[in-house]
Amino acid sequence: MGKSSKDKRDIFYRLAKEQGWRARSAFKLLEIDDEFHVLKEVKRAVDLCAAPGSWSQVLVKRLSENSNYADIDNDSSKKSSSPPKIVAAPLENVIQIKGDITKQSTVEQILGYFEGESADIVVCDGAPDVIGLHDFDEYIQAQLVLAALNITTHILRPGGTLIAKIFRGKDVTLLYARLLRFFERVTCAKPRSSRNSSIEAFVVCQNYQPPKDYIPTMTKPILDLSYDDDENNKLLGPSRLIVPFVACGDASGFDSDQTYPLEEKSLDPLQPPISAPYRTAIALKQQNFYNKIPS
């Protein structure tokens, strides 16, 4: 991107580079935590679809801060000796797992790192490569959220929290209904650092309580939706399901859609961008390599 592109002018993009966050999305999780306090007393966290790792950075920072609390005897000299455990992007004090979130092997790896214990919170800021067809993009994003929910049922403790990115659309009611089957409270949160022009939002699902006799399985995941059953038919018309909506962040703070004056000298990113997988192919094409290959 050029120096004058929209992302270069965006205030949260520039603040992320100045403060060392890998992406501007770090502020979204920070604002959600400030509103809901979901990272308080969390000792085991999982960040799904963690690249480039800004949410993982937030987890490391907030969980490390929260772990330095005094013991019950109020002796401030005694701190928690058990450091938080985080499964996410490749960072210091974080374990990285490269796996498919729809596979049982990934579940076993995560629980193995937690020594058989369950996670306190699962976050997912993943999203597909959007193509501009909103109905299709919303559907694919909903399937990604349901995949995250499915693995969450394997690794999250009762009473835990799930935070995931969603695209709000006409069929988001069906997604809310699935989430409310597993969580006592579901809230749609829109951080101030998320552009108003974007259809993205985040579901904050609190107090994980799976249905009675529910057995998590990867062989018949939650993604298998039936649009003909009575449960979904009840969600149409006046019975349409609505969840609370919360705008996170300080209203007097920066506006993600506002253009702010640039400094005289633009700052270089502290974190280099991810190398594209096709970078080598582009370099070979520029060298006219493919035209030299005999047919």
Side-chain angles (χ1 to χ4, degrees):
M1 293 181 292
K3 293 291 184 181
S4 61
S5 68
K6 181 175 182 180
D7 279 336
K8 294 296 182 182
R9 298 194 307 267
D10 181 87
I11 185 63
F12 290 103
Y13 177 94
R14 289 157 51 204
L15 288 174
K17 298 308 177 184
E18 291 181 10
Q19 298 177 16
W21 302 111
R22 290 190 173 185
R24 66 189 300 281
S25 56
F27 295 104
K28 301 174 185 177
L29 183 56
L30 288 170
E31 291 172 347
I32 291 174
D33 185 42
D34 290 339
E35 180 72 29
F36 295 92
H37 308 289
V38 290
L39 299 181
K40 185 178 181 181
E41 299 181 0
V42 169
K43 299 296 294 180
R44 294 174 296 276
V46 177
D47 184 5
L48 304 175
C49 309
S54 60
W55 277 31
S56 302
Q57 289 179 299
V58 173
L59 291 174
V60 171
K61 182 178 184 297
R62 287 287 169 96
L63 268 59
S64 298
E65 294 173 349
N66 296 340
S67 64
N68 293 326
Y69 58 88
D71 290 336
I72 300 177
D73 59 2
N74 295 326
D75 185 352
S76 60
S77 63
K78 295 181 179 180
K79 303 294 183 180
S80 174
S81 58
S82 178
K85 295 182 178 181
I86 304 172
V87 175
L91 291 167
E92 186 178 356
N93 301 323
V94 175
I95 183 68
Q96 178 193 21
I97 294 179
K98 293 183 179 180
D100 188 340
I101 64 174
T102 65
K103 299 297 183 182
Q104 183 66 32
S105 58
T106 306
V107 174
E108 295 172 355
Q109 283 183 282
I110 295 174
L111 295 179
Y113 177 67
F114 289 153
E115 299 178 351
E117 296 187 79
S118 300
D120 298 314
I121 187 171
V122 178
V123 300
C124 179
D125 191 32
D129 292 330
V130 296
I131 63 174
L133 298 176
H134 294 317
D135 288 348
F136 181 80
D137 292 336
E138 292 162 11
Y139 173 78
I140 297 299
Q141 180 65 22
Q143 298 305 296
L144 178 58
V145 174
L146 289 172
L149 172 62
N150 195 37
I151 191 174
T152 296
T153 62
H154 292 74
I155 62 178
L156 187 64
R157 65 168 176 81
T161 302
L162 168 67
I163 302 175
K165 177 189 290 186
I166 63 170
F167 290 164
R168 288 183 296 161
K170 61 184 179 66
D171 292 326
V172 73
T173 293
L174 297 174
L175 182 58
Y176 291 154
R178 285 295 186 269
L179 294 171
L180 282 169
R181 292 286 300 275
F182 294 88
F183 292 89
E184 181 182 356
R185 295 186 304 277
V186 175
T187 305
C188 178
K190 180 72 171 180
R192 189 163 176 80
S193 53
S194 176
R195 297 187 181 99
N196 295 327
S197 56
S198 172
I199 62 174
E200 79 165 5
F202 297 87
V203 282
V204 181
C205 310
Q206 297 173 283
N207 195 11
Y208 173 60
Q209 298 293 340
K212 184 179 179 181
D213 300 329
Y214 173 77
I215 300 176
T217 175
M218 287 294 186
T219 58
K220 187 178 180 182
I222 307 172
L223 298 94
D224 295 337
L225 299 179
S226 174
Y227 293 94
D228 298 325
D229 57 21
D230 293 336
E231 175 189 351
N232 288 325
N233 289 337
K234 294 178 182 178
L235 302 177
L236 302 177
S239 299
R240 181 169 171 263
L241 184 63
I242 303 295
V243 303
F245 179 87
V246 175
C248 305
D250 187 358
S252 62
F254 293 111
D255 186 345
S256 58
D257 288 306
Q258 176 67 41
T259 299
Y260 293 89
L262 288 170
E263 302 292 339
E264 294 183 1
K265 182 179 179 181
S266 60
L267 298 175
D268 291 329
L270 299 179
Q271 177 67 32
I274 300 176
S275 297
Y278 50 84
R279 185 175 181 179
T280 302
I282 294 177
L284 292 175
K285 183 177 180 180
Q286 292 174 344
Q287 299 170 9
N288 203 26
F289 173 79
Y290 297 108
N291 292 335
K292 298 178 183 179
I293 300 178
S295 58

